[in-house]
Amino acid sequence: MNEIGLTNQLDMETYGKILLIAMPIFLMLVLFEKWYGWKTGKDTVRIMDMISSLSSGVTNVTKDVLGLSVAIISYGWMYENLALIHIQENIWVYIIAFLALDFSGYCIHRIQHTTNVFWNAHIIHHSSEEFNLACALRQSISVFFRIFTFFLLPAALLGVPGNVIAIVAPLHLFIQFWYHTQLIGKMGFLEKIIVTPSHHRVHHAINPEYIDKNYSQVFIIWDKMFGTFQEEQDHIPPVYGITRPVATWNPVKINFQHMFLLISDAWRTKNWNDKLRIWFMPTGWRPADVAEKYPVYKIEDVYDFKKYNPESSKALQTWSFIQLFILLSFISYLFGNLASIGSPGIFLYGLFIFAYIYAMTELMDGNPIAYVWEGIKLVIGVYLIINTNGWFGSEKLFQYIPHIVFAYLLAAMYLSINLSIKRKVSVPSERSVS
Ligand SMILES: [Zn+2]
Ligand SMILES: [Zn+2]
């Protein structure tokens, strides 16, 4: 699942409104999956992993709504200059737009998986060692220049207007949510046409038989046409994650981890040829000298490794869960009031959201100085209360909101200090993959 830069086609406010509807629906489905799995004895959702996934989703939509990336070539430019014909705005234009998006999605996805430098934008989506609906929401924040718009060339040549792409693109993205689940088996004849949970389990798996297969996003036809299709086998249970585990719940870190490795490898290697070619080599490739000198852990046997599971008390889990809901309240207010908050307020608000998620997930990771990040969030929060003389206009709805925000910030600081310093030292409760 990946996206083509929705806010390059959609205006910020429309996307904010769409998200206000989409977010609660996604959240309900995530919680339903957890409940249903628990009830039927096949719980596939670990609480901390789920919180990490949802907070990653929040980083992604915040960045996108704020429009913090630019397309090198815009779809509008391609449409204006390259359209050969102009197809009528009937149902066909929507069908063609959908197919064009699906094909471009396949191409981009395949490039991301197979090229070192482009893998960084997609690593977050595969970073969970679980496979559930929440994982679908792990989406990138590391792309600032979008260069793949040209894959929409077929749509531009046929003269599909930008506003049609703008309507179809979010639908095409959101529809990829449902198949991130282990609770649905094979689906008969549908397996031949669309991407099903079974197909996508294979895509998220690191078993040698499955890795780098099934890149398709909605229609499975592209994998079948281009030879990247793999069926899920009963005797090969998928093992999820990435071969170099990210070992953190922090979505901001995950988003840049691979890029940092590439930069440091390119810097450290003595071989000039390697410094230049590392970026475009297959994903995971490292110059021989640095790979030897600075080894990076890689899972060799997928049936024998420890899932990331830092020790966490019931108190920390409960607090993290509560924090998630407070985060969603903060973000909902932002998305519903983008116009009235205006610039630069929305960007300062975005900064607060990022500090919030960073502090929350560092605490979840067991960082003994997570409270430092909480302190940064507290400073930003208090600055915003003073600066906006309230909380971005919400005080007009209810005059005590700024007081509640302030009390929350202090409580979060207090709990962060307690939970990070007074961590009880015990044997890590890691569990192995079965
Ligand atoms: Zn996926
Ligand atoms: Zn992928």
Side-chain angles (χ1 to χ4, degrees):
M1 180 167 176
N2 61 42
E3 25 126 17
I4 195 137
L6 294 180
T7 41
N8 295 329
Q9 281 98 36
L10 275 178
D11 71 88
M12 179 186 278
E13 265 184 83
T14 313
Y15 193 36
K17 295 267 152 49
I18 292 173
L19 287 167
L20 278 185
I21 300 164
M23 286 196 318
I25 297 174
F26 286 159
L27 180 67
M28 299 245 286
L29 289 168
V30 164
L31 295 176
F32 173 77
E33 186 191 31
K34 169 78 182 163
W35 172 81
Y36 186 82
W38 166 78
K39 198 170 172 283
T40 54
K42 194 179 188 308
D43 186 359
T44 56
V45 186
R46 277 193 293 158
I47 286 290
M48 297 305 240
D49 187 79
M50 181 193 86
I51 296 171
S52 175
S53 297
L54 292 172
S55 65
S56 171
V58 172
T59 59
N60 168 263
V61 290
T62 304
K63 175 181 176 273
D64 268 3
V65 163
L66 297 180
L68 298 179
S69 61
V70 288
I72 298 296
I73 327 167
S74 75
Y75 183 77
W77 184 90
M78 292 203 305
Y79 170 75
E80 295 284 322
N81 293 280
L82 304 174
L84 299 173
I85 54 170
H86 289 274
I87 67 173
Q88 294 296 313
E89 272 211 45
N90 55 31
I91 182 74
W92 282 103
V93 76
Y94 289 91
I95 293 171
I96 289 170
F98 196 90
L99 283 171
L101 275 167
D102 206 41
F103 173 65
S104 86
Y106 172 85
C107 298
I108 297 167
H109 194 186
R110 187 167 172 176
I111 290 170
Q112 287 176 326
H113 269 262
T114 50
T115 318
N116 240 349
V117 67
F118 298 124
W119 172 240
N120 190 65
H122 190 53
I123 188 170
I124 181 77
H125 184 63
H126 286 266
S127 57
S128 173
E129 290 166 338
E130 307 297 324
F131 185 71
N132 50 52
L133 289 174
C135 296
L137 305 175
R138 292 189 181 224
Q139 293 286 326
S140 171
I141 54 166
S142 64
V143 175
F144 299 98
F145 300 99
R146 297 189 181 274
I147 58 171
F148 289 128
T149 319
F150 65 86
F151 280 113
L152 281 175
L153 188 65
L157 290 175
L158 291 171
V160 175
N163 64 321
V164 173
I165 299 282
I167 292 167
V168 177
L171 284 175
H172 183 261
L173 176 66
F174 293 157
I175 214 171
Q176 298 168 45
F177 173 73
W178 78 279
Y179 54 58
H180 289 85
T181 183
Q182 298 179 53
L183 302 184
I184 299 174
K186 291 202 176 166
M187 301 182 74
F189 78 100
L190 285 176
E191 298 283 321
K192 298 199 188 313
I193 308 165
I194 56 167
V195 177
T196 62
S198 173
H199 295 329
H200 207 62
R201 284 194 286 273
V202 166
H203 179 66
H204 276 254
I206 53 173
N207 310 55
E209 297 86 351
Y210 292 159
I211 198 162
D212 292 338
K213 291 290 187 322
N214 299 2
Y215 299 115
S216 293
Q217 307 204 307
V218 174
F219 293 108
I220 195 67
I221 50 172
W222 312 113
D223 281 300
K224 297 203 172 177
M225 276 168 68
F226 299 112
T228 46
F229 177 70
Q230 172 63 48
E231 197 180 344
E232 187 182 26
Q233 310 279 319
D234 287 341
H235 64 283
I236 311 173
V239 177
Y240 305 106
I242 34 188
T243 54
R244 287 179 193 154
V246 293
T248 173
W249 300 131
N250 185 333
V252 183
K253 280 185 174 170
I254 298 171
N255 264 282
F256 296 97
Q257 227 176 38
H258 184 67
M259 190 56 83
F260 281 140
L261 182 69
L262 291 184
I263 292 170
S264 70
D265 279 0
W267 178 261
R268 282 165 163 170
T269 182
K270 300 273 181 289
N271 186 325
W272 271 93
N273 188 21
D274 285 353
K275 280 183 199 293
L276 297 175
R277 70 177 178 146
I278 181 171
W279 313 96
F280 299 100
M281 292 298 278
T283 298
W285 184 88
R286 302 182 70 204
D289 57 344
V290 287
E292 199 192 332
K293 208 168 165 194
Y294 307 98
V296 175
Y297 171 67
K298 186 169 188 271
I299 295 170
E300 298 295 345
D301 178 359
V302 299
Y303 301 106
D304 181 32
F305 76 97
K306 300 265 190 241
K307 282 188 187 179
Y308 181 65
N309 191 21
E311 182 255 328
S312 60
S313 62
K314 264 272 163 288
L316 176 60
Q317 291 194 18
T318 311
W319 175 234
S320 304
F321 200 67
I322 294 169
Q323 288 245 79
L324 174 70
F325 282 87
I326 299 173
L327 171 68
L328 293 172
S329 314
F330 273 118
I331 201 76
S332 301
Y333 182 74
L334 172 65
F335 291 168
N337 298 279
L338 288 161
S340 65
I341 295 172
S343 181
I346 51 171
F347 297 103
L348 292 168
Y349 205 126
L351 180 70
F352 173 74
I353 295 294
F354 273 81
Y356 188 120
I357 290 167
Y358 207 101
M360 175 175 83
T361 49
E362 282 300 295
L363 188 64
M364 287 162 60
D365 273 342
N367 180 350
I369 55 157
Y371 59 86
V372 173
W373 292 103
E374 191 65 40
I376 293 171
K377 169 185 151 194
L378 173 70
V379 170
I380 297 173
V382 171
Y383 168 78
L384 293 177
I385 291 174
I386 296 168
N387 191 259
T388 65
N389 214 357
W391 188 261
F392 297 95
S394 63
E395 64 283 356
K396 292 182 197 106
L397 302 172
F398 179 56
Q399 59 171 322
Y400 293 114
I401 287 180
H403 304 78
I404 295 169
V405 171
F406 184 59
Y408 157 73
L409 290 171
L410 288 182
M413 187 73 229
Y414 172 78
L415 283 168
S416 182
I417 292 169
N418 265 270
L419 290 166
S420 44
I421 292 180
K422 294 181 186 167
R423 278 182 90 76
K424 66 175 191 303
V425 181
S426 64
V427 182
S429 55
E430 286 178 319
R431 62 177 198 197
S432 66
V433 180
S434 56

